[in-house]
Amino acid sequence: MEIELAEALDELVELQEASDAAHAELTQLQEKLGEAAQWTDEQHVTWRDAWEDAREPWWLLDTALDHYAETTGLDRDELAAMVQKAAGSVPTPDED
């Protein structure tokens, strides 16, 4: 089971890193676009498209965490914390 968990952690860390990168890209885009109330229609479309692109890595990570937690018998939150630590990811205050 340890080898399976190690392999699962490797995959989960990759997914966490992709999720973190997507979040960083959205944050940078929002900073670039400025206040949402001032956006043009084109900027709203740009944001929506970027949001849709970012949802995939988030969904993949969430689904994989559920699967591996169930498969290994680990608590999902503990597994997520292990993955975040291994990926060097720091949760934001609202994720605590």
Side-chain angles (χ1 to χ4, degrees), residues 46-67:
T46 298
W47 172 258
R48 185 198 66 222
D49 291 348
W51 176 260
E52 290 297 323
D53 290 346
R55 285 178 45 184
E56 182 176 357
W58 297 337
W59 179 83
L60 290 171
L61 174 61
D62 189 55
T63 303
L65 283 168
D66 287 342
H67 171 75

Side-chain angles (χ1 to χ4, degrees), residues 35-85:
E35 182 65 39
Q38 306 297 322
W39 291 353
T40 65
D41 288 343
E42 184 178 325
Q43 288 171 316
H44 279 284
V45 169
T46 298
W47 172 258
R48 185 198 66 222
D49 291 348
W51 176 260
E52 290 297 323
D53 290 346
R55 285 178 45 184
E56 182 176 357
W58 297 337
W59 179 83
L60 290 171
L61 174 61
D62 189 55
T63 303
L65 283 168
D66 287 342
H67 171 75
Y68 286 121
E70 185 177 314
T71 301
T72 62
L74 293 171
D75 177 78
R76 187 194 187 283
D77 291 337
E78 290 176 16
L79 180 58
M82 287 172 38
V83 170
Q84 288 175 344
K85 183 177 180 181

Side-chain angles (χ1 to χ4, degrees), residues 20-41:
D20 291 344
H23 183 263
E25 288 176 18
L26 274 179
T27 300
Q28 289 175 349
L29 178 60
Q30 187 163 5
E31 289 172 2
K32 177 183 171 186
L33 294 175
E35 182 65 39
Q38 306 297 322
W39 291 353
T40 65
D41 288 343

